[in-house]
Amino acid sequence: MLYLVGLGLADETDITVKGLEAVKKAERVYLEAYTSILLVEKEKLEAFYGRPVIVADRELVESGSDEILADADKTDVAFLVVGDPFGATTHTDLVLRARELGIESKVIPNASIMSGIGCTGLQLYNFGQTVSMVFFTENWKPSSYYDRVKENVDLGLHTLVLLDIKVKEPSLENLARGRMIYEPPRYMTVAQCASQMLETEEERKGGAFGPDSLAVGAARVGAADQRLVAGTLKELAEVDMGRPLHSLVLLGRKTHDLERDYIREFAVDKATFDACWQKAYGASS
């Protein structure tokens, strides 16, 4: 059996009882470590699970799936995914490969950022399409995400923006020279995301958002030091929310007064928040 086990959002204790049982009986345990990270080291997972954990980088998962699936028709293999296996990141390719090899698979779900972002007090059924924000470079500033945000804005829906992480990736220069020398890990911050969004709007000029657009930054969702900050994109572009992982939610115009009352508590500046709210939504939503 191949078990795809969701680990939740924060630390080693977020795994479900069912997931822990699968891990403890598995012959091999892999940790997918390139689409997201837990907020604890691998050694803490191993101590809590009582099993050695093999870190699976992008190359192993995408090119070495046969290694992961080896003998999984005869023994149990656990593939651990931060959040939910089919949440923000899907691993249907691994399940399809297992199916081709006649290997049975079972998915054990857990909380992901897609549900955990409810900690902002924003109603999940008022969210539109989720988008991803990648690190801009001097010569590469992709803005395809903007069109989906604009669709959400036109419908009055919130937009969850997932922020880029770079783990065990070579620089473009090293890649061009065929050298697999990896860059240090990088994790996008709320400030970087807000700044890049404003840069995109300046280029696209579609009116999807602007410096006074209200948004909520979320850091380390589910952890003991979880932090939320509400404010304009201009304010969030200056905020320091500490260590990763970060996410951002752009508010839609259908934001309810109850949502406003909840997030106002986390405002960078309540007077600015109130003024921008009044301008965008009026006295009531």
Side-chain angles (χ1 to χ4, degrees), residues 243-258:
R243 66 190 183 101
L245 294 169
H246 294 186
S247 303
L248 182 144
V249 181
L250 181 71
L251 299 191
R253 71 173 183 275
K254 291 183 179 179
T255 307
H256 192 275
D257 286 350
L258 290 175

Side-chain angles (χ1 to χ4, degrees), residues 123 126 156 158 251-261 277-278 280-285:
Q123 298 165 359
N126 281 339
H158 308 314
L251 299 191
R253 71 173 183 275
K254 291 183 179 179
T255 307
H256 192 275
D257 286 350
L258 290 175
E259 295 176 289
R260 176 201 62 196
D261 293 346
W277 179 276
Q278 179 68 27
Y281 308 109
S284 61
S285 58

Side-chain angles (χ1 to χ4, degrees), residues 134-145:
V134 301
F135 282 109
F136 285 0
T137 68
E138 187 175 344
N139 302 313
W140 187 62
K141 299 179 180 182
S143 62
S144 58
Y145 77 91

